Amino acid sequence: MMYSISEHIEFLMTRHDCVAIPGWGAFIANYSPARYDEDSMTMHRPCRTVGFNASVTHNDGLLAQSLMRREGLTYDEAMRFIADSVTSFRQQLAKDCEVSMGRLGYFRRVQERITEFVPFFRADGCDQFYGLDDLSIKTVAALEQQRAVQEVEEPRAAIVPQGRNLFSRKAAQIAASVAVLIGMGVMLTTPIVVDRSNQQLASMAPTVTAPRSAQLGVTVEPGVSAQPITPVEQSQSPTIASVGNDKGHYYMVIATLRNNHELDAFKNKYPQLVPSMKLLDYKGMMCVYVARSDDYNTLMDLRDELPKALRDVWIYN
């Protein structure tokens, strides 16, 4: 199965305030209204964040209906898939102490039997107020105090720096004059080569001539060696091909398959990824990965190169 419940939960959280995963817990949206901070004189925007409550384990039917609607599953198949996903979450949490939930956030094990959900700040699908910024709003008393300070400082600024301003204007005039003289010197001392070998003189007979291409002459003065021109290398963002899949502590897993039949079907569906595919044995399952690296964030940055259906990757170590 090439789908995950994470993307279904992301979709449902944009439209509901609570989405329950039977046997695991429930994601709950928390609203914070707009508020004004008098100390910083800032109007903070309203926000919507996602939290998690492990005590809510009942089945509200939203997740199963989403799987039935998009993946074409029956209700029993959807419930079995949810149960298998919860089992996989528990196994991964026990082994790696961390489980990713796509763009919502991730679970991590703090102690032996305590699990904590860490939401991503302004994650996709979590914040319906995305795009609003905090506003700096000064009170009337603060504006009056600022105006009083300006009225005191403006007379001082008008009296003290007269000589300094005069010196600054004269320095600017001198600098402009020096720049003009340097430009004229460069123009007058640069030799102009006139090529008269193919010069056409004026005549009474009308003629039609094609325009000549301009020639660029470079003169090297005696005793001065020409410096080689080194091309500037442009930095490129990492790609799956540049990162490679031969070494690295972390694996970028894009699918977990049960047999060769599913592997052949997966290759036929994504032929552009076949040159980068390699297999990893994980508890009797075939894990397909396309890149390896010692840097976790490098692999996460490669997700945009994958097809949209595969961007909910599993970083395995």
Side-chain angles (χ1 to χ4, degrees):
M1 297 182 181
M2 312 290 27
Y3 44 86
S4 170
I5 64 174
S6 299
E7 57 185 12
H8 288 271
I9 297 174
E10 293 177 15
F11 172 79
L12 293 172
M13 284 305 299
T14 61
R15 291 161 173 79
H16 302 276
D17 292 338
C18 179
V19 177
I21 305 177
W24 182 257
F27 291 92
I28 300 174
N30 299 313
Y31 289 89
S32 297
R35 60 184 180 85
Y36 182 74
D37 187 358
E38 296 182 357
D39 296 333
S40 61
M41 290 184 290
T42 302
M43 176 64 74
H44 296 280
R45 69 184 187 93
C47 61
R48 180 177 185 261
T49 58
V50 173
F52 182 79
N53 189 344
S55 301
V56 182
T57 59
H58 68 278
N59 181 19
D60 58 3
L62 291 177
L63 186 55
Q65 291 177 5
S66 180
L67 289 167
M68 294 167 58
R69 181 173 54 254
R70 179 178 174 181
E71 313 300 345
L73 303 177
T74 63
Y75 179 78
D76 293 337
E77 291 175 343
M79 293 303 298
R80 282 198 301 269
F81 181 74
I82 295 173
D84 293 341
S85 299
V86 171
T87 302
S88 177
F89 291 162
R90 297 186 187 280
Q91 292 175 352
Q92 184 177 353
L93 190 64
K95 181 179 179 181
D96 301 331
C97 297
E98 185 175 302
V99 175
S100 174
M101 293 302 296
R103 297 178 177 85
L104 293 176
Y106 62 94
F107 292 94
R108 65 181 180 183
R109 173 159 292 178
V110 182
Q111 297 179 6
E112 183 65 24
R113 295 183 177 274
I114 298 178
T115 303
E116 179 186 16
F117 175 69
V118 181
F120 291 143
F121 178 67
R122 290 188 174 182
D124 296 341
C126 292
D127 195 349
Q128 66 181 9
F129 304 107
Y130 180 80
L132 298 178
D133 291 328
D134 298 337
L135 298 177
S136 177
I137 302 177
K138 296 183 178 180
T139 61
V140 176
L143 292 175
E144 291 179 351
Q145 183 179 2
Q146 181 179 358
R147 182 180 301 176
V149 172
Q150 291 178 352
E151 291 177 353
V152 174
E153 293 181 351
E154 285 179 355
R156 297 178 181 176
I159 296 174
V160 176
Q162 290 295 330
R164 183 177 300 176
N165 291 341
L166 180 61
F167 175 77
S168 299
R169 288 195 298 270
K170 288 186 177 181
Q173 293 175 357
I174 295 173
S177 301
V178 172
V180 172
L181 293 176
I182 292 175
M184 292 180 64
V186 172
M187 182 180 65
L188 295 176
T189 56
T190 302
I192 301 176
V193 180
V194 180
D195 186 6
R196 297 179 179 274
S197 59
N198 296 322
Q199 183 177 7
Q200 295 182 355
L201 301 178
S203 63
M204 296 299 294
T207 58
V208 178
T209 60
R212 298 176 59 192
S213 59
Q215 297 180 352
L216 178 63
V218 179
T219 303
V220 180
E221 296 182 0
V224 179
S225 59
Q227 299 294 329
I229 299 176
T230 304
V232 178
E233 296 183 357
Q234 297 182 355
S235 61
Q236 298 180 354
S237 58
T239 62
I240 292 177
S242 64
V243 172
N245 55 14
D246 294 330
K247 60 182 181 178
H249 184 65
Y250 294 96
Y251 297 77
M252 185 176 183
V253 179
I254 60 175
T256 303
L257 309 174
R258 294 176 293 184
N259 49 50
N260 292 327
H261 178 71
E262 292 185 357
L263 178 61
D264 294 337
F266 183 75
K267 290 181 177 180
N268 293 332
K269 188 174 182 180
Y270 302 102
Q272 70 276 21
L273 298 177
V274 171
S276 302
M277 290 183 185
K278 283 196 175 183
L279 296 180
L280 175 69
D281 184 17
Y282 178 74
K283 296 183 179 180
M285 302 291 288
M286 293 187 297
C287 296
V288 181
Y289 67 94
V290 293
R292 291 178 61 181
S293 175
D294 289 326
D295 185 11
Y296 177 89
N297 295 326
T298 298
L299 297 181
M300 295 301 291
D301 293 340
L302 297 178
R303 291 182 299 176
D304 293 338
E305 290 192 16
L306 298 174
K308 187 175 181 181
L310 301 179
R311 293 181 183 175
D312 187 16
V313 296
W314 172 29
I315 305 301
Y316 172 77
N317 61 355

